[in-house]
Amino acid sequence: MLPATVRLVNAVFYAHHGVLEEEHRIGGRYEVDVAMTLDVRGAAEADDLTQTVDYERVYALVREVVTGNSSFLIERLGWRIAQAVAEAYPTLEGVEVHVRKPNPPVGGPCDRAEVVVRWAP
């Protein structure tokens, strides 16, 4: 066994999520990190993409979830991303998803709101 984590870091999308009606109408920037824990021994020994996660495919899944539907909460968005990745790669040992919403509407200066969702079988 060769445990490893494959990550996508700071995938950026424009989408329409949030509790406020204005957020759904205007939209905003969302940043996503996905960390996938798995055994990479077979992939490393054979130099074979089919034995690991294809991060291009993972990016496409994330893009589909983030831009495909609206959610009120970034918690739901993170959960839906983790669920989609876990379903696409059932041999994963874990998935961790960070969803950031820069400049959230909180009534004052704030760099970002962020949620971290951890999925494990």
Side-chain angles (χ1 to χ4, degrees), residues 21-88:
E21 182 180 321
E22 183 176 312
E23 293 174 295
H24 284 268
R25 188 172 43 81
I26 296 172
R29 178 184 168 118
Y30 292 84
E31 302 166 351
V32 179
D33 302 337
V34 181
M36 298 149 288
T37 305
L38 68 156
D39 179 1
V40 298
R41 180 176 295 283
E45 289 176 348
D47 200 20
D48 182 4
L49 177 61
T50 65
Q51 296 186 48
T52 186
V53 293
D54 178 346
Y55 46 79
E56 184 177 8
R57 181 177 175 208
V58 172
Y59 181 90
L61 288 170
V62 173
R63 180 181 56 223
E64 182 179 325
V65 170
V66 174
T67 64
N69 294 296
S70 293
S71 299
F72 291 119
L73 304 176
I74 59 174
E75 290 85 344
R76 179 171 173 82
L77 193 54
W79 171 74
R80 291 183 63 229
I81 292 166
Q83 184 180 36
V85 172
E87 286 175 3

Side-chain angles (χ1 to χ4, degrees), residues 91-114:
T91 60
L92 290 176
E93 297 168 15
V95 179
E96 183 173 288
V97 177
H98 296 233
V99 178
R100 289 178 298 281
K101 183 177 190 171
N103 303 309
V106 295
C110 182
D111 285 345
R112 71 188 62 82
E114 180 175 37

